[in-house]
Amino acid sequence: MSQQDPAQSLRQEIVSVLRGYERDYTRGSIFRAIVLLAIPMVLEMLMQSIFELVDAYFVGKLGAEALNAVGAGASLIILVLAIAFGMTMGVTAMVARRIGEKDPEGAGRVAFQAIAVAVGISVPIAILGILFAPQMLRAIATPEAVVEIGSGYCAILFGSNLAILLLFVINAIFRGAGDPMLALKALALANLFNIILDPLLIFGWGPVPAMGLKGAAWATVIGRSIGVVYQISLLLRQQSRVRIRVPKLDFQIMARFVVISTPAVIQMFISTACYLALFVLINTFGEYTAAAYTVSVRIIVFALLPAWGLGNAAATLVGQNLGAGEPGRAERSEWITCFINSGFLGLVAIGLNLFAQPLMEIFTQETEVVAIGRDCIRIISYTYVLFAFGMVTTQAFNGSGDTWTPTWIAFVCYWCIQLPLGWALAYPAGYDAQGIFAAVAIAQAILAVVGSVVFRMGRWKLRAV
């Protein structure tokens, strides 16, 4: 009997994963485990970014002021995303550990508590966002003309923040269980409706009135909400790997989830609040610079999302292998993923440098906006080969349940280095916005080095979840 070709065997396994079949990632080839987890996770992250790119594409047709309003709104809603991302780190770690321990019922109990926490958090956020959208926009130095057209956009996004939180949290449940294909399907469905509704609601058609920026917000809200409904249906089905069997509050599990997620939320607040502070600095250089930064950041995020997908794969592998009593395999998984990610981001950096201008021109034809955005994309990409290690290492810490260590690293790199360095290069040194872009690149490299050194120490292996 002839032995099966390894490449053919891997292709068959990839097809089985994409079809949603279960697999044990605590045994067998680590490289295969990374590939099988990363492919749907990378596709999921790409789907997530499509929301932002689709909005930027259609809103860009309304002009630079509209783009600036979307950028300002995104800079505020990113604080909600910080909570969502932080919660995903906590739930991924806990669900992955339960799955590694062969306890799917325990994973289901964790899932329900995480959803309950998300619902509770969403209410005060919605109230504050609806009541104080204009004031929040003014607080980040947004021009008054942009505040007028952007307040409604912001209020809608904040008012519907539950859809954002649940979409992220439930997808993290699927990833922690080793079912990333379910997360991909949910985002694909949400994106499909967003792509259909965006031009319809922004520009109007037939009986549907043109709603402008508010239309972009409603398209995103409706798309995400449909994705959430689909996610919940998956969690309730009989054959689900993580199934919510008894929807009952368990305050002990809930408290554990909050304890693990809180530093992860702080971690994301540190990075996103720093981004918000950088946007305030960017706003001081005028409308064109702010619009350029809005578009270029979306392009950069889109290019980086596959790398974040690899980081998510590392988080799942670390969590499941620790749960299975395999800390050595967990560590090897992280380092192998780091080197794969570094090679990938090296190629991304080359591509971004070559095609920065035509990529900007997809979203806007204003010459000054294109030139500034091109410089932003190129400068920030210079340290991607190193930053690849930081992205994976951060997620590996979080996957182990050690969420405090990457929080402190993020604080030092973003608030003690990136922000003051950006200000110094932009103003005293006279490099303007390019100085801010350079500070981001430098902070990325430092984060990677510090994170890798601390991860090598191995204290994360002792973390109980």
Side-chain angles (χ1 to χ4, degrees):
M1 187 174 179
S2 61
Q3 189 173 11
Q4 188 178 29
D5 175 56
Q8 182 182 357
S9 173
L10 180 59
R11 284 194 297 270
Q12 289 176 351
E13 289 186 81
I14 291 171
V15 170
S16 71
V17 169
L18 292 177
R19 288 178 176 173
Y21 296 138
E22 293 183 13
R23 179 184 172 83
D24 186 354
Y25 294 103
T26 62
R27 299 288 183 270
S29 165
I30 292 175
F31 176 78
R32 285 193 174 217
I34 293 169
V35 171
L36 295 175
L37 276 172
I39 288 176
M41 286 185 180
V42 166
L43 293 173
E44 178 204 345
M45 299 304 285
L46 288 172
M47 286 287 177
Q48 185 62 49
S49 185
I50 287 173
F51 273 107
E52 307 293 336
L53 288 174
V54 168
D55 281 355
Y57 176 78
F58 288 112
V59 170
K61 299 181 184 301
L62 300 177
E65 271 192 357
L67 271 177
N68 194 355
V70 169
S75 297
L76 292 171
I77 204 69
I78 203 170
L79 298 175
V80 176
L81 293 176
I83 297 173
F85 275 117
M87 292 176 70
T88 65
M89 294 171 191
V91 75
T92 295
M94 293 183 73
V95 169
R97 192 68 69 93
R98 299 294 86 77
I99 293 297
E101 294 167 350
K102 314 303 180 191
D103 181 14
E105 288 190 11
R109 287 193 294 272
V110 169
F112 183 75
Q113 311 318 311
I115 291 170
V117 171
V119 172
I121 289 174
S122 71
V123 176
I125 293 174
I127 294 170
L128 289 173
I130 291 170
L131 294 179
F132 301 106
Q135 292 88 336
M136 291 191 294
L137 286 169
R138 293 188 184 102
I140 59 171
T142 305
E144 195 59 35
V146 177
V147 172
E148 289 182 15
I149 64 173
S151 295
Y153 175 84
C154 247
I156 293 168
L157 289 182
F158 272 94
S160 62
N161 77 92
L162 177 60
I164 298 174
L165 292 177
L166 289 183
L167 193 65
F168 277 84
V169 167
I170 299 176
N171 272 357
I173 292 167
F174 295 145
R175 288 196 300 271
D179 286 333
M181 193 60 197
L182 299 182
L184 174 60
K185 289 178 180 178
L187 275 176
L189 184 64
N191 264 299
L192 175 63
F193 279 91
N194 184 56
I195 291 169
I196 293 170
L197 292 173
D198 240 340
L200 180 65
L201 298 182
I202 291 172
F203 306 112
W205 184 73
V208 180
M211 300 171 67
L213 276 179
K214 289 183 180 179
W218 281 117
T220 300
V221 169
I222 295 169
R224 283 178 170 149
S225 299
I226 291 171
V228 169
V229 171
Y230 175 69
Q231 288 174 318
I232 292 173
S233 72
L234 292 174
L235 286 176
L236 295 175
R237 69 180 184 176
Q238 188 73 27
Q239 64 271 34
S240 177
R241 191 175 191 184
V242 178
R243 180 187 167 208
I244 297 176
R245 290 172 171 80
V246 181
K248 180 181 177 182
L249 294 179
D250 186 320
F251 292 103
Q252 186 175 358
I253 295 177
M254 196 179 291
R256 187 64 186 155
F257 170 68
V258 171
V259 166
I260 295 172
S261 295
T262 297
V265 171
I266 295 171
Q267 179 188 144
M268 295 308 300
F269 263 120
I270 287 169
S271 58
T272 53
C274 184
Y275 168 81
L276 184 59
L278 289 178
F279 192 80
V280 173
L281 290 179
I282 289 290
N283 259 333
T284 64
F285 293 105
E287 176 183 302
Y288 288 117
T289 303
Y293 190 62
T294 297
V295 175
S296 59
V297 165
R298 277 164 168 72
I299 293 170
I300 288 168
V301 167
F302 184 81
L304 285 181
L305 282 177
W308 285 118
L310 281 165
N312 286 338
T316 297
L317 286 172
V318 167
Q320 289 196 6
N321 281 292
L322 286 178
E326 296 283 350
R329 181 181 170 87
E331 183 170 5
R332 290 194 301 275
S333 299
E334 188 273 348
W335 289 119
I336 293 171
T337 309
C338 278
F339 282 102
I340 293 172
N341 202 29
S342 184
F344 167 74
L345 282 189
L347 296 175
V348 167
I350 293 171
L352 288 177
N353 272 271
L354 290 174
F355 301 107
Q357 180 150 337
L359 285 171
M360 285 294 301
E361 288 171 347
I362 293 173
F363 300 94
T364 179
Q365 295 299 315
E366 299 196 43
T367 306
E368 190 173 348
V369 175
V370 170
I372 297 169
R374 177 197 61 211
D375 291 344
C376 177
I377 291 169
R378 287 175 175 169
I379 292 169
I380 291 177
S381 70
Y382 289 154
T383 56
Y384 276 1
V385 172
L386 271 178
F387 186 43
F389 280 77
M391 296 172 78
V392 174
T393 301
T394 297
Q395 293 297 83
F397 275 123
N398 290 322
S400 73
D402 181 6
T403 47
W404 272 118
T405 296
T407 300
W408 285 111
I409 293 173
F411 175 76
V412 171
C413 292
Y414 293 134
W415 282 92
C416 300
I417 297 174
Q418 180 175 280
L419 192 57
L421 181 60
W423 177 85
L425 292 176
Y427 292 103
Y431 289 105
D432 298 332
Q434 289 189 343
I436 297 173
F437 307 152
V440 173
I442 293 167
Q444 287 175 169
I446 295 172
L447 175 73
V449 173
V450 174
S452 297
V453 170
V454 176
F455 187 84
R456 188 74 179 84
M457 296 176 181
R459 283 179 288 186
W460 52 273
K461 297 177 185 177
L462 307 176
R463 181 73 180 185
V465 175

